[in-house]
């Protein structure tokens, strides 16, 4: 196992009107509808397969995907969340690439629906997730990799004052081609991320 242990399902993580909750089977239809409704919004940032055999988000039932997500907890390899604003599902956040041993590292990826963008939801969700990684999972490092063209996601890491570590060339196959990504990092000694959010 990447962490050498099963990850317990965390209780919901909340700050203000934003909550992270582990995805569950009952979220399937809401997520599928959200993905279908946001295809144009998300397409530029969606991972694709180099073979061209990618599946359009929202075009297949979500229950098998959710079961696979939840298996990550048992494997110690990831934590799959939905993002809620008040009680509405507005996106997803995944903690992945969990590594124990000498590395003690993880990565975070996320998306928020177009109708919910611009309300400070993504920075709050990311801050909650990073603090969970450090406090509950006890890891040392979190990475977020972002396409340099993705201005909205770059604002998230800027608000949290995550340190830039440079560009990874042709890092992930996105929207039909190999795309560069800029890497941003938080370390446990940086202190609580949630306290870095602008107030008010």
């Amino acid at each position: 196992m990447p962490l050498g242990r099963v990850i317990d399902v965390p209780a919901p993580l909340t700050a203000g009107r934003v909550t992270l909750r582990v995805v569950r089977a009952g979220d399937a239809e809401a997520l599928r509808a959200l993905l279908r409704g946001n295809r144009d919004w998300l397409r530029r940032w969606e991972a694709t397969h180099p073979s061209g055999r990618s599946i359009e988000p929202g075009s297949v039932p979500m229950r098998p995907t959710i079961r696979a997500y939840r298996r990550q907890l048992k494997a110690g390899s990831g934590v799959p969340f939905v993002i809620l604003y008040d009680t509405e599902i507005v996106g997803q956040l995944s903690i992945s690439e969990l590594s124990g041993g000498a590395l003690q590292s993880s990565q975070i990826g996320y998306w928020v629906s177009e109708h919910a963008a611009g309300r400070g939801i993504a920075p709050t969700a990311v801050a909650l997730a990073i603090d969970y990684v450090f406090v509950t999972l006890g890891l040392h490092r979190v990475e977020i990799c972002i396409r340099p063209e993705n201005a909205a996601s770059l604002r998230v890491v800027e608000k949290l004052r995550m340190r830039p570590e440079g560009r990874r060339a042709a890092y992930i196959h996105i929207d039909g081609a190999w795309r560069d990504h800029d890497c941003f990092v938080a370390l446990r000694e940086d202190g609580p991320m949630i306290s870095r959010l602008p107030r008010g």
Side-chain angles (χ1 to χ4, degrees), residues 105-108 110 126 130 141-148 150 153-168 181-187 190:
S105 182
S106 63
Q107 290 191 359
I108 287 177
Y110 54 89
V126 170
I130 292 174
R141 174 186 172 94
V142 173
E143 292 184 0
I144 296 178
C145 295
I146 300 171
R147 284 184 59 186
N150 192 340
S153 275
L154 289 172
R155 283 195 295 274
V156 171
V157 295
E158 287 166 4
K159 285 180 181 179
L160 294 174
R161 302 195 304 279
M162 295 178 69
R163 57 173 57 81
E165 282 201 338
R167 182 158 297 177
R168 296 181 178 178
H181 282 65
D182 291 336
C183 182
F184 299 85
V185 171
L187 303 176
D190 293 337

Side-chain angles (χ1 to χ4, degrees), residues 16-19 83-91 116 119-121:
R17 301 173 69 180
V18 177
T19 298
I83 304 171
L84 296 98
Y85 188 65
D86 295 331
T87 58
E88 178 191 6
I89 295 176
V90 295
R119 302 184 197 180
I121 295 170

Side-chain angles (χ1 to χ4, degrees), residues 47-111:
T48 48
H49 196 279
S51 69
R53 294 192 301 269
S54 300
I55 296 171
E56 190 83 13
S59 64
V60 296
M62 285 296 296
R63 283 180 182 269
T65 302
I66 290 172
R67 285 196 293 271
Y69 286 155
R70 293 193 56 110
R71 284 195 294 270
Q72 294 173 4
L73 293 165
K74 293 182 179 179
S77 63
V79 187
F81 290 106
V82 287
I83 304 171
L84 296 98
Y85 188 65
D86 295 331
T87 58
E88 178 191 6
I89 295 176
V90 295
Q92 289 182 271
L93 182 148
S94 295
I95 302 169
S96 62
E97 305 297 328
L98 290 167
S99 299
L103 191 56
Q104 299 289 316
S105 182
S106 63
Q107 290 191 359
I108 287 177
Y110 54 89
W111 63 269

Side-chain angles (χ1 to χ4, degrees), residues 5-69:
R5 66 181 188 275
V6 172
I7 300 171
D8 293 329
V9 176
L13 312 171
T14 300
R17 301 173 69 180
V18 177
T19 298
L20 286 181
R21 172 177 57 72
V22 169
V23 67
R24 55 196 184 205
D27 299 327
E29 288 310 309
L31 279 174
R32 188 176 183 188
L34 202 60
L35 286 165
R36 279 199 308 261
N38 280 273
R39 280 181 181 171
D40 291 340
W41 170 251
L42 296 173
R43 185 173 283 116
R44 289 187 66 200
W45 321 117
E46 283 289 332
T48 48
H49 196 279
S51 69
R53 294 192 301 269
S54 300
I55 296 171
E56 190 83 13
S59 64
V60 296
M62 285 296 296
R63 283 180 182 269
T65 302
I66 290 172
R67 285 196 293 271
Y69 286 155

